[in-house]
Amino acid sequence: MTTTLITGSNKGLGKETARQLIAAGHTVYIGARDEARGRTAAEELGARFVQLDVTDDASVAAAYAQIEADGRLDVLVNNAGIEPRLAGNAIPAPADETADSVRATFETNVFGLVRVTHAFLPLLQKSAAPVIVNVSSGLGSLTDLSNPESYTHFYPALAYPASKTTVNAITVQYAKAFPGIRINAVDPGYTDTDLNGHAGIQTVEEGAAIIVAMAQIGPDGPTGTFVSSRGPVAW
Ligand code: NAP
């Protein structure tokens, strides 16, 4: 039995990933910062609930203690993320971004991912086939962001793309440091969720597909890669 923790999985891509992995036989922990939202999603899907705010050391430590006491963790999906449009804002222009606005995005998308990964490494290292999936974004690809032909080129803001480029760098560094763990970054594609004010053009089923696929790779699978459902993504 494979046991999987998905951060930020009370809705959106994380919840759909949970649904698909449960269908594939995983025991899934719905990680959610809000207990009511998390328990509702877990009950709907037949998952376990764990309170987990990726920006809060105490919350992450308590989540670790709960899952360790239950027994095991094989797959960690670092999915929790924020983007300016989540709060109903327009995408900010670079001139309107400040150190504080960039820091706020990094608190969740980058420092949160490191906080959770660092905490759960000891449990993952006890697994026979440990896997980490870092949910990045096509906006994290500097190759595409700087290419006028790319659909991501229009995106003006600083914080969100930089946070996902940093997630990619962290993925590469973790993958080198932990060759016994399969650690990859994925781009789900532009998906209809709260995150982007429902501007995304894919369904959550389509967006979750690459997260689900990379959560199920075996010990001989790739590590240190950045992939979407269309194949490798340029860094
Ligand atoms: P979403 O529907 O807004 O879901 C985001 C999830 O993250 C929610 O469950 C949210 O919980 C949770 N979250 C936010 N801050 C958190 C925190 N501090 N601690 C724990 N959970 C937290 O967005 P989504 O589109 O599914 O996004 C999932 C991931 O996909 C993100 O990393 C995003 O950057 C990435 N992504 C999305 C797209 C897209 O087009 N949608 C494209 C590329 C990459 P609450 O309900 O409590 O807010």
Side-chain angles (χ1 to χ4, degrees):
M1 179 72 81
T2 302
T3 300
T4 299
L5 167 63
I6 308 170
T7 66
S9 52
N10 52 284
K11 67 178 181 179
L13 288 163
K15 183 180 177 189
E16 178 58 25
T17 299
R19 186 193 310 280
Q20 293 186 25
L21 288 176
I22 290 166
H26 287 215
T27 297
V28 171
Y29 285 90
I30 297 284
R33 57 182 164 178
D34 181 89
E35 179 163 357
R37 288 197 290 272
R39 283 200 188 281
T40 299
E43 281 167 20
E44 179 191 326
L45 298 180
R48 300 178 183 183
F49 164 70
V50 62
Q51 198 281 335
L52 199 164
D53 182 337
V54 303
T55 66
D56 183 331
D57 283 329
S59 167
V60 173
Y64 181 83
Q66 178 184 330
I67 294 175
E68 184 186 38
D70 287 352
R72 63 186 291 168
L73 186 68
D74 304 293
V75 180
L76 169 63
V77 180
N78 283 309
N79 168 77
I82 58 171
E83 201 250 10
R85 285 173 288 175
L86 178 63
N89 302 318
I91 305 171
D96 295 327
E97 293 231 48
T98 62
D100 283 344
S101 75
V102 174
R103 186 180 298 113
T105 300
F106 271 60
E107 282 293 348
T108 301
N109 295 5
V110 176
F111 307 146
L113 180 148
V114 173
R115 179 177 289 105
V116 172
T117 304
H118 179 260
F120 280 91
L121 276 170
L123 203 46
L124 286 165
Q125 286 176 301
K126 292 180 184 169
S127 168
V131 170
I132 299 175
V133 182
N134 291 331
V135 182
S136 179
S137 167
L139 289 164
S141 164
L142 293 177
T143 302
D144 288 342
L145 208 57
S146 59
N147 173 8
E149 304 299 320
S150 164
Y151 84 99
T152 62
H153 187 264
F154 84 97
Y155 193 93
L158 302 183
Y160 184 78
S163 74
K164 295 302 189 177
T165 304
T166 306
V167 165
N168 289 349
I170 286 168
T171 300
V172 168
Q173 298 303 83
Y174 272 142
K176 289 188 293 186
F178 300 102
I181 309 178
R182 307 289 90 185
I183 307 175
N184 295 284
V186 301
D187 167 24
Y190 199 27
T191 306
D192 177 356
T193 68
D194 287 350
L195 185 97
N196 49 41
H198 296 276
I201 55 174
Q202 293 185 137
T203 64
V204 285
E205 290 82 359
E206 292 168 325
I210 189 63
I211 309 174
V212 170
M214 296 308 283
Q216 295 184 92
I217 57 171
D220 298 328
T223 195
T225 70
F226 180 27
V227 292
S228 75
S229 57
R230 296 181 304 282
V233 184
W235 294 109

